[in-house]
Amino acid sequence: MFDTSSFITESIADLKSSIDDTAIIACSGGVDSTVAAVIANNAVGDKLHCVYVDTGLMRKNETQEIQKMLGELGLNLTTVFAEERYLEALKDVTEPEHKRKVIGELFIRIFEEEQSKVGAKYLVQGTIAPDWIESGGGVRDTIKSHHNVGGLPDDMTLEIVEPLRDLYKDEVRDLARALEIKVADRQPFPGPGLAVRCLGPLTLERVHVVREACAIVEEELELAASEGKMDLPWQYFAALLPVRSVGVHGDVRAYGETVVVRAVTSLDGMSAKYSEIPHDVLAKISTRITNTVKGAVNRVVYDITHKPPGTIEWE
Ligand code: XMP
């Protein structure tokens, strides 16, 4: 059994002794970075500057919700709006590993800019064990270069501090509960955000489509779970595939793309089973998606692949 209170006490003591100067932390609003920020804030207080980067690749209304939540936790927060920079950097990038590297690198560059503003020496990160294991840590093969790991350039000037690097997701969620962080039961969201759910070219329009589709999947599955029709999956979202098919809207021919709905049960994200979703719920999701983004999406499919062999995200 993971002992949250001794982990918190020990990591606060560790951070107190290892952080002797100004530190900066990347807050994404996810469980991992929020827990790392609250622990670091407890350890070093006003030496810690929290930076939230709005990459333009966040879920619907996420930036406002995150700003509110982090503000309420008493963190010293700066928001950097960087949507245009991300879209520009990702223009013409479609290969998943390349995408992750570009995103990781820009993320670090932005932090370096913020670092020079506050004179930070340390970068605290919410990296957890699956991030570095799947990024080729130890003897394992590189499956995906996780954001926070694979994107680090060689010439980086900040010293990295990773208080959660030996923990798994369920342990971080336990910590969040122990620290009374509201984020505790949020589903995981990948560091590179909607970029890894938007296969093919990343444009403002396509990111908008996948953002709307993800919001619909979240709303409908949360509703179905609250009505007792199914258990809420561990993670559930939509991805946009650059696969076009012929459809018809009214009596007009359409040639739109495909949305895939993904919902899985898992303990820690290392392995997963696809979730069984009642057909009426899937049908409602499909109708809502095709009605909301008329013309852009013609077809909605459900992913019935376990991990392994599939990963949870499509990229
Ligand atoms: P995969 O797709 O590798 O995902 O089966 C396992 C879990 O990790 C999340 N994920 C990420 N989380 N940075 C993160 O912080 C990333 O680059 C990243 N890629 C995937 C994914 O959403 C799932 O919960």
Side-chain angles (χ1 to χ4, degrees):
M1 185 65 190
F2 175 53
D3 182 346
T4 51
S5 93
S6 47
F7 181 91
I8 293 168
T9 313
E10 281 162 29
S11 44
I12 289 177
D14 279 358
L15 294 180
K16 269 191 178 142
S17 62
S18 57
I19 300 181
D20 57 4
D21 205 330
T22 307
I24 190 165
I25 180 163
C27 287
S28 69
V31 185
D32 306 344
S33 63
T34 307
V35 168
V38 170
I39 290 177
N41 194 44
N42 275 319
V44 301
D46 57 12
K47 277 198 205 121
L48 182 72
H49 295 260
C50 302
V51 177
Y52 166 72
V53 179
D54 182 344
T55 59
L57 301 165
M58 310 302 290
R59 283 172 290 195
K60 204 171 175 179
N61 302 327
E62 196 159 27
T63 291
Q64 297 89 313
E65 285 165 18
I66 289 171
Q67 284 178 313
K68 182 163 179 280
M69 189 258 305
L70 296 177
E72 283 169 4
L73 287 168
L75 301 172
N76 170 15
L77 181 72
T78 302
T79 303
V80 181
F81 292 96
E83 178 179 58
E84 279 176 21
R85 285 178 75 177
Y86 274 88
L87 279 180
E88 179 58 29
L90 290 164
K91 203 166 64 171
D92 306 322
V93 179
T94 51
E95 199 282 316
E97 277 301 285
H98 186 196
K99 206 183 255 184
R100 284 170 177 272
K101 293 243 152 70
V102 169
I103 291 170
E105 205 165 311
L106 181 52
F107 167 84
I108 293 298
R109 291 291 165 229
I110 290 172
F111 270 83
E112 285 184 331
E113 290 164 18
E114 296 305 306
Q115 165 219 11
S116 61
K117 287 184 201 156
V118 297
K121 180 173 163 199
Y122 298 96
L123 173 61
V124 182
Q125 291 199 306
T127 314
I128 64 169
D131 299 341
W132 59 266
I133 292 170
E134 293 203 348
S135 293
V139 294
R140 302 199 191 206
D141 201 17
T142 299
I143 298 168
K144 293 181 187 183
S145 297
H146 274 217
H147 178 49
N148 299 351
V149 184
L152 298 184
D154 298 337
D155 59 348
M156 213 190 60
T157 53
L158 287 162
E159 263 179 62
I160 304 280
V161 181
E162 295 175 322
L164 312 178
R165 69 174 280 116
D166 294 325
L167 303 186
Y168 284 84
K169 201 84 195 183
D170 53 322
E171 295 170 325
V172 181
R173 283 173 187 265
D174 288 346
L175 283 179
R177 270 178 220 110
L179 291 164
E180 296 181 357
I181 297 172
K182 266 199 291 191
V183 83
D185 291 314
R186 279 170 62 122
Q187 61 160 324
F189 187 61
L194 296 176
V196 295
R197 296 179 179 174
C198 191
L199 284 75
L202 266 164
T203 60
L204 200 56
E205 296 71 32
R206 295 186 80 242
V207 172
H208 168 75
V209 169
V210 78
R211 179 179 293 120
E212 289 297 321
C214 277
I216 291 168
V217 171
E218 290 188 20
E219 274 172 38
E220 292 301 333
L221 293 193
E222 283 162 15
L223 177 67
S226 74
E227 289 172 344
K229 288 186 177 171
M230 59 181 286
D231 290 332
L232 192 64
W234 188 77
Q235 194 169 7
Y236 41 104
F237 56 88
L240 180 64
L241 310 183
V243 176
R244 297 172 86 190
S245 64
V246 176
V248 57
H249 286 279
D251 48 9
V252 178
R253 181 188 188 272
Y255 191 44
E257 292 189 310
T258 308
V259 160
V260 58
V261 176
R262 181 81 163 135
V264 297
T265 54
S266 178
L267 190 60
D268 54 15
M270 297 293 279
S271 64
K273 283 198 174 309
Y274 80 81
S275 300
E276 289 189 18
I277 300 180
H279 277 255
D280 62 321
V281 178
L282 284 172
K284 195 163 165 215
I285 289 172
S286 168
T287 307
R288 277 194 64 193
I289 290 175
T290 47
N291 282 344
T292 304
V293 291
K294 276 199 176 70
V297 172
N298 269 354
R299 229 161 268 269
V300 178
V301 298
Y302 187 54
D303 181 352
I304 53 166
T305 321
H306 299 312
K307 173 183 180 179
T311 51
I312 296 175
E313 303 290 344
W314 271 53
E315 285 189 336

